[in-house]
Amino acid sequence: DGGITQSPKYLFRKEGQNVTLSCEQNLNHDAMYWYRQDPGQGLRLIYYSQIVNDFQKGDIAEGYSVSREKKESFPLTVTSAQKNPTAFYLCASTIGERAEAFFGQGTRLTVV
Amino acid sequence: GQNIDQPTEMTATEGAIVQINCTYQTSGFNGLFWYQQHAGEAPTFLSYNVLDGLEEKGRFSSFLSRSKGYSYLLLKELQMKDSASYLCAVLESNYQLIWGAGTKLIIKP
């Protein structure tokens, strides 16, 4: 079955450490996105990529980095520069102009 | 600027009907989505409106008025499993999605 796989589902990070969240899709979608969701808030866009080897900053890119070396993969690194990284992170992909978003299961990151 | 407004929380009774409203001000418009999100899970697609009018899909319907910048999601014959957050999202002219904060719907027996 086609879909988007995020891993891990739960992640704990010590302060000062970088961590990388994985996102893989086999839907053959061109565009991929990373969102952050905090309690009681909507989805906020961190980074997005519309084609391989190209990506753009979203509204809250500071303290995060991404790569898009393959169409199927769009990993997100949460760096030590991100001062408040505890959140629920969602990866999504879209295809075509309608841009219906398909989501992975999410990764809940907690700083300990 | 960009803005999407939804009520923060609503309560309804099992078996009843509830309407969740969404108003928006965005940079252009290429469609409006409704998603359902259960606690701790990813959003799942419910509906898409790009033309004015009502789209019906089983117990769920979604309405759009582009001139008013307004949409609603109508849920009929409410079931306990409908307890979730409902997210409104607008596809802007640059094909980026702008998300509302979501409406938490609580269903009581």
Side-chain angles (χ1 to χ4, degrees):
Chain A
D1 287 336
I4 301 179
T5 302
Q6 283 187 245
S7 61
K9 188 170 183 179
Y10 299 96
L11 186 59
F12 297 88
R13 189 195 93 172
K14 293 182 180 179
E15 288 196 30
Q17 284 183 337
N18 294 354
V19 289
T20 297
L21 282 59
S22 171
C23 179
E24 304 278 333
Q25 56 103 354
N26 60 3
L27 299 168
N28 199 34
H29 287 178
D30 292 313
M32 297 186 74
Y33 305 79
W34 274 106
Y35 292 98
R36 170 180 172 143
Q37 188 175 35
D38 294 284
Q41 297 192 32
L43 304 182
R44 292 188 289 167
L45 184 62
I46 305 172
Y47 270 98
Y48 66 100
S49 168
Q50 293 178 318
I51 56 172
V52 175
N53 292 322
D54 188 47
F55 48 83
Q56 286 78 41
K57 294 181 178 180
D59 301 318
I60 56 166
E62 185 176 351
Y64 300 97
S65 65
V66 294
S67 63
R68 186 85 186 276
E69 298 176 0
K70 298 186 299 182
K71 187 175 186 178
E72 301 79 16
S73 180
F74 191 41
L76 173 74
T77 297
V78 184
T79 75
S80 57
Q82 171 49 238
K83 297 306 178 187
N84 185 23
T86 295
F88 188 50
Y89 291 87
L90 287 160
C91 179
S93 69
T94 66
I95 188 168
E97 290 189 343
R98 175 166 141 157
E100 175 184 337
F102 292 80
F103 288 89
Q105 66 176 359
T107 295
R108 186 164 299 280
L109 173 63
T110 303
V111 173
V112 297
Chain B
Q2 307 162 338
N3 195 43
I4 297 182
D5 287 321
Q6 306 178 233
T8 302
E9 186 173 298
M10 299 182 70
T11 302
T13 305
E14 189 177 15
I17 299 173
V18 70
Q19 177 175 312
I20 303 174
N21 296 325
C22 171
T23 58
Y24 62 89
Q25 291 178 307
T26 55
S27 302
F29 180 85
N30 275 315
L32 185 144
F33 292 89
W34 284 96
Y35 281 78
Q36 181 190 59
Q37 186 179 26
H38 285 99
E41 298 181 8
T44 55
F45 171 80
L46 287 178
S47 68
Y48 171 72
N49 295 70
V50 65
L51 300 176
D52 289 353
L54 188 68
E55 295 279 343
E56 297 185 82
K57 190 185 297 184
R59 294 190 297 114
F60 293 5
S61 303
S62 56
F63 172 83
L64 175 67
S65 169
R66 288 173 297 172
S67 62
K68 295 181 179 179
Y70 167 70
S71 173
Y72 68 73
L73 180 69
L74 190 71
L75 292 75
K76 303 176 184 177
E77 302 171 12
L78 287 170
Q79 302 175 9
M80 297 303 293
K81 67 179 183 179
D82 297 330
S83 292
S85 289
Y86 291 85
L87 309 178
C88 173
V90 171
L91 190 62
E92 292 192 304
S93 53
N94 62 357
Y95 294 98
Q96 292 299 317
L97 277 169
I98 304 300
W99 294 84
T103 299
K104 183 178 181 180
L105 178 62
I106 299 169
I107 309 297
K108 295 185 174 180

